[in-house]
């Protein structure tokens, strides 16, 4: 949609509803036309900053009457172009919906507006002895995390957003407001609408409130790190740890190139070799036992430089370095464009898929890094390419394609946590087959005018 095609009557109605919280300035539109991915910017025609579910419903009704696209916007940290308004229209900025509505400590759940961020929520919960564990690294909004079915470093123990969202408030494409389920621990009443909307990336409805599960803060937490002679040795340690049933909180793999970038960016002096980061949580005796067993498993695979600490500051520094990997790699490659992606495979296939991917990337001149939430078979490939060199982009796309092909052949998925957005759509038919047609039926039933984040998730 061009600015000339955007209905003036719609803009007037939006301003009547929201006042000066409607913007058509180029800077606001540009901010809402990009994310953290490599994908090209597309600006919306207008940005609407909302404060309530009712305002979202009002905007949706107005846009539906004019058949104008609507794209939800949160923290802007998407990595697959999920929030880019490909067809213009209205970007609905939910960051002003940042109220924590109801903490129910006795039920271990909390209801928040969609614009609340995970760090904001955990800071609020600190005095309750509870926390929300899903940690994608970025300080993403809870609504955005639900919309993309995010996970992160804690998923090996606590699961992803799929396991941790109890209920949603959603605005449908005609402006109706629904709640997807009750807060009961379990229910067999009707279809699981919560699961339908978690991961739908704004294509079926706009999530405005989220109820999520909470957990007790462990008595003791400790971090450990050790270096390995090869990626295979590190992954073998991970597999043995999982198969023993140890309740590890986090297991993160960084390859040698990633460690080199982390050392420079975070002022560390780690050996430049494939490295595992661990976190253990529980009682004093449980943490000691976990660490002792994992240390023996790691040393059995040739690990060296084993270090661990229960000190909160040291642990925070270590995990901050892990979360800063994206920026560390960017700093190591000035002038390059980051082409990042993720896949997820059954844990038994992880070593083979990683080995083949590393062998493939070694054939090319551009810098590549591998980072993984390897405890659940999820890893990220980062390629730093010259934006002025179309040949490098073509090479990177071929590496990307081959990685997904071997992932699907191993029984995995083309995206473990980044979502589909624009970048993963071409793999959806290969992964899901005729189930894609069922997804289209759901999309057409809930959004017959195709105004909700059009051009995302489902291939034509």
């Amino acid at each position: 949609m061009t600015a000339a095609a955007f209905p003036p009557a719609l803009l007037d109605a939006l301003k009547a509803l929201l006042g000066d919280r409607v913007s058509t300035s180029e800077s606001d539109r540009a901010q809402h036309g990009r994310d953290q991915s490599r994908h090209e910017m597309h600006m919306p025609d207008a940005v609407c900053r909302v404060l309530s579910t009712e305002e979202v419903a009002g905007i949706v009704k107005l846009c539906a009457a004019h058949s104008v696209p609507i794209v939800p916007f949160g923290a802007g940290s998407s990595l697959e172009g999920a929030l880019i308004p490909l067809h213009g229209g209205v970007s609905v900025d939910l960051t002003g919906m940042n109220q924590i509505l109801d903490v129910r400590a006795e039920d271990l759940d909390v209801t928040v507006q969609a614009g609340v961020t995970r760090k904001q929520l955990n800071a609020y919960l600190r005095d309750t002895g509870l926390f929300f564990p899903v940690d994608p690294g970025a300080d993403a909004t809870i609504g955005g995390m639900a919309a993309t079915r995010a996970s992160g470093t804690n998923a090996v123990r606590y699961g992803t957003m799929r396991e941790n969202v109890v209920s949603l408030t959603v605005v449908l494409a005609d402006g109706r407001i629904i709640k997807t389920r009750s807060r009961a621990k379990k229910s067999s009443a009707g279809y699981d609408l919560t699961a339908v909307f978690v991961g739908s990336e704004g294509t079926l409805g706009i999530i405005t409130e989220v109820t999520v599960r909470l957990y007790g803060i462990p008595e003791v937490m400790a971090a450990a790190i050790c270096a390995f002679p090869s990626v295979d040795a590190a992954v073998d340690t991970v597999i043995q740890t999982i198969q023993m049933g140890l309740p590890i909180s986090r297991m993160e793999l960084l390859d040698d190139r990633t460690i080199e970038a982390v050392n420079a960016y975070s002022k560390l002096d780690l050996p430049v070799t494939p490295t595992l980061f661990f976190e253990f949580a529980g009682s004093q005796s449980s943490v000691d036992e976990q660490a002792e067993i994992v240390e023996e498993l790691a040393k059995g695979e040739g690990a060296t430089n084993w270090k661990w600490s229960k000190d909160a500051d040291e642990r925070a520094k270590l995990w901050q370095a892990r979360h800063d990997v994206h920026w560390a790699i960017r700093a190591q490659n000035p002038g390059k464009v980051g082409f990042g992606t993720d896949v997820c495979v059954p844990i038994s296939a992880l070593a083979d898929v990683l080995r083949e991917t590393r062998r493939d990337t070694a054939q090319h001149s551009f810098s590549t890094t591998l980072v993984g939430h390897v405890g659940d078979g999820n890893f990220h490939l980062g390629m730093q390419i010259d934006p002025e060199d179309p040949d490098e982009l073509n090479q990177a796309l071929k590496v990307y394609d081959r990685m997904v092909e071997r992932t699907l052949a191993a029984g995995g998925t083309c995206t473990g946590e980044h979502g589909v957005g624009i970048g993963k759509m071409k793999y959806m038919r290969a992964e899901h087959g005729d189930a894609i047609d069922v997804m289209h039926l759901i999309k057409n039933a809930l959004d017959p005018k195709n105004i909700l984040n059009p051009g995302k998730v489902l291939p034509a």
Side-chain angles (χ1 to χ4, degrees):
M1 178 174 291
T2 64
F6 192 77
L10 173 58
L11 185 58
D12 290 343
L14 291 172
K15 288 181 176 178
L17 178 67
L18 300 178
D20 61 6
R21 287 184 282 121
V22 178
S23 174
T24 56
S25 75
E26 186 168 351
S27 60
D28 276 342
R29 291 165 55 223
Q31 177 193 351
H32 291 76
R34 65 168 71 91
D35 59 8
Q36 295 296 322
S37 73
R38 63 184 173 86
H39 299 290
E40 182 183 356
M41 179 177 72
H42 292 266
M43 291 195 294
D45 295 284
V47 175
C48 291
R49 292 180 167 85
V50 294
L51 301 177
S52 70
T53 297
E54 290 70 26
E55 287 185 346
V56 175
I59 292 168
V60 171
K61 288 175 184 177
L62 291 170
C63 289
H66 292 274
S67 298
V68 167
I70 313 157
V71 181
F73 185 95
S77 56
S78 168
L79 293 170
E80 289 293 349
L83 54 79
I84 296 175
L86 295 177
H87 305 285
V90 174
S91 177
V92 178
D93 187 322
L94 294 141
T95 55
M97 293 185 63
N98 58 2
Q99 300 300 306
I100 296 169
L101 301 175
D102 194 2
V103 178
R104 294 167 291 264
E106 65 279 9
D107 291 328
L108 297 178
D109 68 41
V110 59
T111 300
V112 302
Q113 289 185 313
V116 170
T117 69
R118 66 173 187 87
K119 288 184 179 178
Q120 175 193 352
L121 176 57
N122 279 324
Y124 187 91
L125 293 170
R126 190 172 292 128
D127 293 339
T128 68
L130 302 173
F131 81 118
F132 175 64
V134 183
D135 177 5
D139 191 20
T141 63
I142 302 297
M145 290 167 63
T148 55
R149 201 183 294 127
S151 59
T153 58
N154 278 322
V156 64
R157 178 165 181 164
Y158 295 102
T160 71
M161 288 299 283
R162 181 184 65 183
E163 291 81 25
N164 286 287
V165 174
V166 175
S167 179
L168 300 168
T169 298
V170 181
V171 177
L172 301 180
D174 59 4
R176 282 180 294 168
I177 301 168
I178 66 166
K179 286 197 173 181
T180 56
R181 60 157 288 181
S182 72
R183 292 192 301 109
K185 187 73 172 179
K186 61 181 182 180
S187 171
S188 57
Y191 302 140
D192 188 352
L193 294 181
T194 304
V196 171
F197 287 101
V198 172
S200 64
E201 300 182 32
T203 62
L204 301 179
I206 299 177
I207 296 169
T208 60
E209 294 180 11
V210 190
T211 299
V212 294
R213 303 187 196 285
L214 301 177
Y215 298 81
I217 296 173
E219 175 189 342
V220 177
M221 300 176 76
I225 188 170
C226 58
F228 287 84
S230 67
V231 167
D232 282 6
V235 172
D236 286 344
T237 300
V238 170
I239 292 171
Q240 293 173 55
T241 301
I242 295 297
Q243 290 176 342
M244 287 188 70
L246 296 175
I248 304 296
S249 293
R250 310 192 214 197
M251 282 191 290
E252 298 288 303
L253 171 67
L254 283 67
D255 74 357
D256 50 350
R257 289 179 176 173
T258 308
I259 289 294
E260 185 177 13
V262 165
N263 279 344
Y265 188 84
S266 298
K267 308 295 188 293
L268 300 178
D269 59 353
L270 304 175
V272 181
T273 187
T275 300
L276 284 179
F277 289 27
F278 297 94
E279 185 167 87
F280 309 100
S283 66
Q284 182 74 58
S285 59
S286 171
V287 166
D288 290 343
E289 181 182 20
Q290 291 174 50
E292 183 178 342
I293 293 171
V294 173
E295 181 180 4
E296 287 303 310
L297 293 175
K299 287 181 176 177
E301 296 295 333
T304 58
N305 207 46
W306 173 272
K307 297 178 181 177
W308 81 301
S309 176
K310 297 174 185 175
D311 182 79
D313 290 338
E314 289 185 28
R315 191 166 50 82
K317 182 180 179 181
L318 184 68
W319 288 111
Q320 188 60 50
R322 166 61 187 91
H323 286 324
D324 286 342
V325 159
H326 174 77
W327 305 111
I329 294 168
R330 292 281 294 272
Q332 285 283 93
N333 296 273
K336 298 296 182 74
V337 172
F339 186 146
T341 186
D342 82 311
V343 293
C344 189
V345 295
I347 193 73
S348 60
L350 182 60
D352 288 341
V353 174
L354 274 171
R355 186 183 309 112
E356 290 302 312
T357 299
R358 283 174 60 85
R359 185 175 296 146
D360 197 1
T361 59
Q363 309 302 313
H364 302 284
S365 59
F366 49 77
S367 174
T368 62
T369 52
L370 277 170
V371 183
H373 312 311
V374 285
D376 54 15
N378 182 204
F379 72 90
H380 305 255
L381 173 66
M383 297 174 280
Q384 306 300 314
I385 59 175
D386 183 347
E388 304 301 323
D389 187 344
D391 184 54
E392 278 200 355
L393 175 60
N394 288 332
Q395 290 179 40
L397 287 168
K398 289 176 181 177
V399 169
Y400 185 21
D401 288 341
R402 289 190 291 268
M403 183 178 73
V404 174
E405 285 170 8
R406 68 177 67 95
T407 293
L408 297 182
T413 174
C414 67
T415 175
E417 61 182 15
H418 286 184
V420 177
I422 304 166
K424 301 283 190 177
M425 282 198 302
K426 64 179 180 177
Y427 306 118
M428 291 289 280
R429 178 71 66 174
E431 179 168 338
H432 293 287
D434 289 344
I436 287 292
D437 300 328
V438 178
M439 295 181 198
H440 272 293
L441 290 173
I442 296 170
K443 169 69 171 173
N444 293 338
L446 290 175
D447 183 19
K449 291 185 175 182
N450 193 29
I451 62 171
L452 294 177
N453 208 4
K456 312 291 174 56
V457 181
L458 298 181

